[in-house]
Each structure stands twice: as C-alpha cells, then as structure tokens.
mmCIF file of all heavy atoms in Angstrom:
data_model
loop_
_atom_site.group_PDB
_atom_site.id
_atom_site.type_symbol
_atom_site.label_atom_id
_atom_site.label_comp_id
_atom_site.label_asym_id
_atom_site.label_seq_id
_atom_site.Cartn_x
_atom_site.Cartn_y
_atom_site.Cartn_z
ATOM 1 N N ASP A 1 0.817 -1.219 0.000
ATOM 2 C CA ASP A 1 0.000 0.000 0.000
ATOM 3 C C ASP A 1 0.847 1.265 0.000
ATOM 4 O O ASP A 1 0.300 2.371 0.052
ATOM 5 C CB ASP A 1 -0.928 0.013 1.225
ATOM 6 C CG ASP A 1 -1.969 -1.090 1.193
ATOM 7 O OD1 ASP A 1 -2.242 -1.630 0.102
ATOM 8 O OD2 ASP A 1 -2.490 -1.430 2.273
ATOM 9 N N GLN A 2 2.166 1.135 -0.047
ATOM 10 C CA GLN A 2 3.073 2.275 0.066
ATOM 11 C C GLN A 2 3.715 2.588 -1.290
ATOM 12 O O GLN A 2 3.861 1.710 -2.134
ATOM 13 C CB GLN A 2 4.188 1.972 1.075
ATOM 14 C CG GLN A 2 3.723 1.404 2.394
ATOM 15 C CD GLN A 2 2.792 2.315 3.153
ATOM 16 O OE1 GLN A 2 3.015 3.519 3.228
ATOM 17 N NE2 GLN A 2 1.736 1.748 3.722
ATOM 18 N N SER A 3 4.141 3.831 -1.439
ATOM 19 C CA SER A 3 4.881 4.198 -2.646
ATOM 20 C C SER A 3 6.332 3.728 -2.518
ATOM 21 O O SER A 3 6.855 3.568 -1.410
ATOM 22 C CB SER A 3 4.851 5.713 -2.859
ATOM 23 O OG SER A 3 5.644 6.359 -1.879
ATOM 24 N N LEU A 4 6.958 3.532 -3.650
ATOM 25 C CA LEU A 4 8.359 3.137 -3.668
ATOM 26 C C LEU A 4 9.221 4.181 -2.969
ATOM 27 O O LEU A 4 10.085 3.833 -2.157
ATOM 28 C CB LEU A 4 8.830 2.926 -5.107
ATOM 29 C CG LEU A 4 10.282 2.560 -5.306
ATOM 30 C CD1 LEU A 4 10.617 1.234 -4.615
ATOM 31 C CD2 LEU A 4 10.617 2.485 -6.787
ATOM 32 N N SER A 5 8.984 5.441 -3.225
ATOM 33 C CA SER A 5 9.812 6.494 -2.609
ATOM 34 C C SER A 5 9.641 6.491 -1.084
ATOM 35 O O SER A 5 10.622 6.668 -0.359
ATOM 36 C CB SER A 5 9.502 7.863 -3.199
ATOM 37 O OG SER A 5 8.161 8.220 -2.951
ATOM 38 N N HIS A 6 8.415 6.260 -0.602
ATOM 39 C CA HIS A 6 8.211 6.203 0.845
ATOM 40 C C HIS A 6 8.952 4.998 1.433
ATOM 41 O O HIS A 6 9.636 5.137 2.455
ATOM 42 C CB HIS A 6 6.722 6.132 1.184
ATOM 43 C CG HIS A 6 6.452 5.935 2.640
ATOM 44 N ND1 HIS A 6 6.741 6.896 3.588
ATOM 45 C CD2 HIS A 6 5.955 4.869 3.322
ATOM 46 C CE1 HIS A 6 6.425 6.439 4.780
ATOM 47 N NE2 HIS A 6 5.938 5.213 4.651
ATOM 48 N N LEU A 7 8.821 3.847 0.810
ATOM 49 C CA LEU A 7 9.488 2.644 1.319
ATOM 50 C C LEU A 7 11.002 2.825 1.367
ATOM 51 O O LEU A 7 11.653 2.421 2.325
ATOM 52 C CB LEU A 7 9.113 1.429 0.471
ATOM 53 C CG LEU A 7 7.659 0.979 0.585
ATOM 54 C CD1 LEU A 7 7.339 -0.048 -0.490
ATOM 55 C CD2 LEU A 7 7.372 0.432 1.972
ATOM 56 N N ARG A 8 11.556 3.451 0.359
ATOM 57 C CA ARG A 8 13.006 3.651 0.309
ATOM 58 C C ARG A 8 13.473 4.710 1.321
ATOM 59 O O ARG A 8 14.652 4.776 1.636
ATOM 60 C CB ARG A 8 13.442 4.021 -1.095
ATOM 61 C CG ARG A 8 13.246 2.909 -2.117
ATOM 62 C CD ARG A 8 14.275 1.834 -2.007
ATOM 63 N NE ARG A 8 15.483 2.332 -2.649
ATOM 64 C CZ ARG A 8 16.637 1.715 -2.650
ATOM 65 N NH1 ARG A 8 16.777 0.562 -2.037
ATOM 66 N NH2 ARG A 8 17.674 2.231 -3.243
ATOM 67 N N SER A 9 12.544 5.506 1.848
ATOM 68 C CA SER A 9 12.913 6.517 2.842
ATOM 69 C C SER A 9 12.900 5.965 4.267
ATOM 70 O O SER A 9 13.414 6.621 5.176
ATOM 71 C CB SER A 9 11.955 7.713 2.757
ATOM 72 O OG SER A 9 10.682 7.384 3.316
ATOM 73 N N LEU A 10 12.357 4.774 4.467
ATOM 74 C CA LEU A 10 12.230 4.209 5.813
ATOM 75 C C LEU A 10 13.561 3.696 6.346
ATOM 76 O O LEU A 10 14.445 3.312 5.577
ATOM 77 C CB LEU A 10 11.217 3.056 5.804
ATOM 78 C CG LEU A 10 9.784 3.415 5.444
ATOM 79 C CD1 LEU A 10 8.933 2.153 5.373
ATOM 80 C CD2 LEU A 10 9.210 4.406 6.441
ATOM 81 N N ASP A 11 13.666 3.663 7.655
ATOM 82 C CA ASP A 11 14.814 3.065 8.333
ATOM 83 C C ASP A 11 14.489 1.588 8.560
ATOM 84 O O ASP A 11 13.564 1.253 9.299
ATOM 85 C CB ASP A 11 15.063 3.765 9.659
ATOM 86 C CG ASP A 11 16.313 3.269 10.376
ATOM 87 O OD1 ASP A 11 16.740 2.118 10.137
ATOM 88 O OD2 ASP A 11 16.853 4.023 11.193
ATOM 89 N N ALA A 12 15.256 0.710 7.921
ATOM 90 C CA ALA A 12 15.048 -0.741 8.045
ATOM 91 C C ALA A 12 15.945 -1.328 9.128
ATOM 92 O O ALA A 12 16.118 -2.546 9.209
ATOM 93 C CB ALA A 12 15.297 -1.421 6.704
ATOM 94 N N GLY A 13 16.532 -0.471 9.960
ATOM 95 C CA GLY A 13 17.399 -0.911 11.047
ATOM 96 C C GLY A 13 18.792 -0.349 10.897
ATOM 97 O O GLY A 13 19.384 -0.444 9.824
ATOM 98 N N GLY A 14 19.300 0.264 11.929
ATOM 99 C CA GLY A 14 20.654 0.804 11.896
ATOM 100 C C GLY A 14 20.867 1.882 10.857
ATOM 101 O O GLY A 14 21.977 2.059 10.358
ATOM 102 N N GLY A 15 19.795 2.596 10.495
ATOM 103 C CA GLY A 15 19.919 3.658 9.496
ATOM 104 C C GLY A 15 19.946 3.166 8.063
ATOM 105 O O GLY A 15 20.167 3.957 7.150
ATOM 106 N N GLN A 16 19.726 1.898 7.860
ATOM 107 C CA GLN A 16 19.746 1.335 6.502
ATOM 108 C C GLN A 16 18.360 1.405 5.872
ATOM 109 O O GLN A 16 17.358 1.332 6.563
ATOM 110 C CB GLN A 16 20.193 -0.117 6.547
ATOM 111 C CG GLN A 16 21.603 -0.289 7.061
ATOM 112 C CD GLN A 16 21.973 -1.743 7.075
ATOM 113 O OE1 GLN A 16 22.288 -2.312 6.040
ATOM 114 N NE2 GLN A 16 21.902 -2.352 8.244
ATOM 115 N N GLN A 17 18.334 1.512 4.549
ATOM 116 C CA GLN A 17 17.058 1.518 3.844
ATOM 117 C C GLN A 17 16.730 0.114 3.350
ATOM 118 O O GLN A 17 17.589 -0.773 3.340
ATOM 119 C CB GLN A 17 17.078 2.518 2.684
ATOM 120 C CG GLN A 17 18.000 2.161 1.559
ATOM 121 C CD GLN A 17 18.012 3.216 0.458
ATOM 122 O OE1 GLN A 17 18.854 3.160 -0.387
ATOM 123 N NE2 GLN A 17 17.115 4.171 0.446
ATOM 124 N N ILE A 18 15.494 -0.068 2.963
ATOM 125 C CA ILE A 18 15.083 -1.331 2.343
ATOM 126 C C ILE A 18 15.823 -1.412 1.009
ATOM 127 O O ILE A 18 15.677 -0.531 0.160
ATOM 128 C CB ILE A 18 13.558 -1.373 2.111
ATOM 129 C CG1 ILE A 18 12.816 -1.279 3.444
ATOM 130 C CG2 ILE A 18 13.177 -2.640 1.345
ATOM 131 C CD1 ILE A 18 11.301 -1.076 3.308
ATOM 132 N N PRO A 19 16.632 -2.456 0.802
ATOM 133 C CA PRO A 19 17.413 -2.529 -0.438
ATOM 134 C C PRO A 19 16.599 -3.081 -1.601
ATOM 135 O O PRO A 19 15.577 -3.749 -1.415
ATOM 136 C CB PRO A 19 18.548 -3.490 -0.085
ATOM 137 C CG PRO A 19 17.951 -4.387 0.951
ATOM 138 C CD PRO A 19 16.975 -3.535 1.728
ATOM 139 N N THR A 20 17.074 -2.807 -2.795
ATOM 140 C CA THR A 20 16.515 -3.437 -3.981
ATOM 141 C C THR A 20 17.232 -4.774 -4.201
ATOM 142 O O THR A 20 18.349 -4.987 -3.696
ATOM 143 C CB THR A 20 16.699 -2.565 -5.232
ATOM 144 O OG1 THR A 20 18.102 -2.476 -5.536
ATOM 145 C CG2 THR A 20 16.095 -1.179 -5.041
ATOM 146 N N LEU A 21 16.601 -5.646 -4.951
ATOM 147 C CA LEU A 21 17.244 -6.919 -5.278
ATOM 148 C C LEU A 21 18.502 -6.681 -6.093
ATOM 149 O O LEU A 21 19.512 -7.355 -5.904
ATOM 150 C CB LEU A 21 16.270 -7.832 -6.029
ATOM 151 C CG LEU A 21 16.801 -9.204 -6.428
ATOM 152 C CD1 LEU A 21 17.336 -9.989 -5.226
ATOM 153 C CD2 LEU A 21 15.720 -9.995 -7.156
ATOM 154 N N GLU A 22 18.480 -5.697 -6.957
ATOM 155 C CA GLU A 22 19.668 -5.349 -7.751
ATOM 156 C C GLU A 22 20.828 -4.951 -6.841
ATOM 157 O O GLU A 22 21.968 -5.371 -7.046
ATOM 158 C CB GLU A 22 19.338 -4.210 -8.711
ATOM 159 C CG GLU A 22 20.509 -3.737 -9.525
ATOM 160 C CD GLU A 22 20.725 -4.504 -10.817
ATOM 161 O OE1 GLU A 22 19.739 -4.915 -11.432
ATOM 162 O OE2 GLU A 22 21.897 -4.680 -11.195
ATOM 163 N N GLU A 23 20.559 -4.164 -5.806
ATOM 164 C CA GLU A 23 21.612 -3.761 -4.864
ATOM 165 C C GLU A 23 22.184 -4.966 -4.133
ATOM 166 O O GLU A 23 23.408 -5.064 -3.944
ATOM 167 C CB GLU A 23 21.065 -2.749 -3.856
ATOM 168 C CG GLU A 23 20.767 -1.394 -4.446
ATOM 169 C CD GLU A 23 19.975 -0.488 -3.534
ATOM 170 O OE1 GLU A 23 19.286 -0.976 -2.601
ATOM 171 O OE2 GLU A 23 20.040 0.743 -3.752
ATOM 172 N N VAL A 24 21.320 -5.885 -3.716
ATOM 173 C CA VAL A 24 21.787 -7.103 -3.043
ATOM 174 C C VAL A 24 22.661 -7.916 -3.983
ATOM 175 O O VAL A 24 23.729 -8.394 -3.594
ATOM 176 C CB VAL A 24 20.591 -7.929 -2.513
ATOM 177 C CG1 VAL A 24 21.020 -9.335 -2.108
ATOM 178 C CG2 VAL A 24 19.930 -7.221 -1.344
ATOM 179 N N CYS A 25 22.240 -8.068 -5.232
ATOM 180 C CA CYS A 25 23.028 -8.847 -6.202
ATOM 181 C C CYS A 25 24.363 -8.180 -6.485
ATOM 182 O O CYS A 25 25.375 -8.863 -6.645
ATOM 183 C CB CYS A 25 22.219 -9.056 -7.476
ATOM 184 S SG CYS A 25 20.813 -10.161 -7.240
ATOM 185 N N THR A 26 24.394 -6.864 -6.530
ATOM 186 C CA THR A 26 25.653 -6.138 -6.714
ATOM 187 C C THR A 26 26.583 -6.407 -5.540
ATOM 188 O O THR A 26 27.788 -6.614 -5.718
ATOM 189 C CB THR A 26 25.386 -4.628 -6.879
ATOM 190 O OG1 THR A 26 24.591 -4.432 -8.053
ATOM 191 C CG2 THR A 26 26.680 -3.847 -6.982
ATOM 192 N N GLU A 27 26.038 -6.435 -4.336
ATOM 193 C CA GLU A 27 26.846 -6.707 -3.147
ATOM 194 C C GLU A 27 27.384 -8.138 -3.170
ATOM 195 O O GLU A 27 28.536 -8.383 -2.819
ATOM 196 C CB GLU A 27 26.007 -6.477 -1.879
ATOM 197 C CG GLU A 27 26.792 -6.553 -0.613
ATOM 198 C CD GLU A 27 27.857 -5.476 -0.505
ATOM 199 O OE1 GLU A 27 27.594 -4.311 -0.847
ATOM 200 O OE2 GLU A 27 28.984 -5.814 -0.072
ATOM 201 N N ILE A 28 26.561 -9.082 -3.570
ATOM 202 C CA ILE A 28 26.976 -10.488 -3.608
ATOM 203 C C ILE A 28 28.028 -10.713 -4.690
ATOM 204 O O ILE A 28 29.038 -11.375 -4.447
ATOM 205 C CB ILE A 28 25.764 -11.416 -3.819
ATOM 206 C CG1 ILE A 28 24.861 -11.374 -2.594
ATOM 207 C CG2 ILE A 28 26.216 -12.843 -4.118
ATOM 208 C CD1 ILE A 28 23.534 -12.082 -2.776
ATOM 209 N N ALA A 29 27.787 -10.171 -5.873
ATOM 210 C CA ALA A 29 28.746 -10.183 -6.991
ATOM 211 C C ALA A 29 29.538 -11.481 -7.122
ATOM 212 O O ALA A 29 30.757 -11.466 -7.127
ATOM 213 C CB ALA A 29 29.686 -8.985 -6.872
ATOM 214 N N GLY A 30 28.838 -12.602 -7.184
ATOM 215 C CA GLY A 30 29.499 -13.884 -7.406
ATOM 216 C C GLY A 30 30.101 -14.524 -6.172
ATOM 217 O O GLY A 30 30.713 -15.588 -6.265
ATOM 218 N N LYS A 31 29.954 -13.928 -4.998
ATOM 219 C CA LYS A 31 30.540 -14.478 -3.772
ATOM 220 C C LYS A 31 29.650 -15.529 -3.117
ATOM 221 O O LYS A 31 30.087 -16.232 -2.216
ATOM 222 C CB LYS A 31 30.802 -13.351 -2.763
ATOM 223 C CG LYS A 31 31.782 -12.312 -3.248
ATOM 224 C CD LYS A 31 31.892 -11.188 -2.227
ATOM 225 C CE LYS A 31 32.204 -9.905 -2.956
ATOM 226 N NZ LYS A 31 31.509 -8.766 -2.437
ATOM 227 N N ALA A 32 28.388 -15.601 -3.547
ATOM 228 C CA ALA A 32 27.453 -16.547 -2.931
ATOM 229 C C ALA A 32 26.320 -16.831 -3.907
ATOM 230 O O ALA A 32 26.105 -16.084 -4.863
ATOM 231 C CB ALA A 32 26.888 -15.976 -1.634
ATOM 232 N N CYS A 33 25.607 -17.898 -3.636
ATOM 233 C CA CYS A 33 24.395 -18.230 -4.386
ATOM 234 C C CYS A 33 23.212 -17.593 -3.666
ATOM 235 O O CYS A 33 23.300 -17.247 -2.493
ATOM 236 C CB CYS A 33 24.218 -19.738 -4.480
ATOM 237 S SG CYS A 33 25.496 -20.518 -5.493
ATOM 238 N N LEU A 34 22.100 -17.463 -4.373
ATOM 239 C CA LEU A 34 20.983 -16.696 -3.849
ATOM 240 C C LEU A 34 19.675 -17.461 -3.970
ATOM 241 O O LEU A 34 19.311 -17.912 -5.054
ATOM 242 C CB LEU A 34 20.889 -15.373 -4.615
ATOM 243 C CG LEU A 34 19.947 -14.309 -4.103
ATOM 244 C CD1 LEU A 34 20.264 -13.928 -2.661
ATOM 245 C CD2 LEU A 34 20.032 -13.078 -4.995
ATOM 246 N N ASN A 35 18.980 -17.603 -2.843
ATOM 247 C CA ASN A 35 17.615 -18.133 -2.805
ATOM 248 C C ASN A 35 16.697 -16.925 -2.684
ATOM 249 O O ASN A 35 16.706 -16.234 -1.671
ATOM 250 C CB ASN A 35 17.441 -19.082 -1.621
ATOM 251 C CG ASN A 35 15.998 -19.548 -1.436
ATOM 252 O OD1 ASN A 35 15.121 -19.225 -2.218
ATOM 253 N ND2 ASN A 35 15.762 -20.294 -0.381
#
C-alpha cells in the first residue's frame, strides 16, 4: 500500500534503507548463491 519512494525513505534498522534486489546482487557479486 506504500509508494516506492516512501518505502526507500524508511529506516530498516541501523539507518539502513530497504534494499533493492539489484543492490543485493551487486553486493553479492558472485561471492554466494541466492535463494
């Protein structure tokens, strides 16, 4: 029920935002497999 911009502005813990799947994949960058 929320806009993307609102969701990305939230604190998901420790000052971090809700990440995109693309950002997670960039971080993993071949170091692990993903479920």
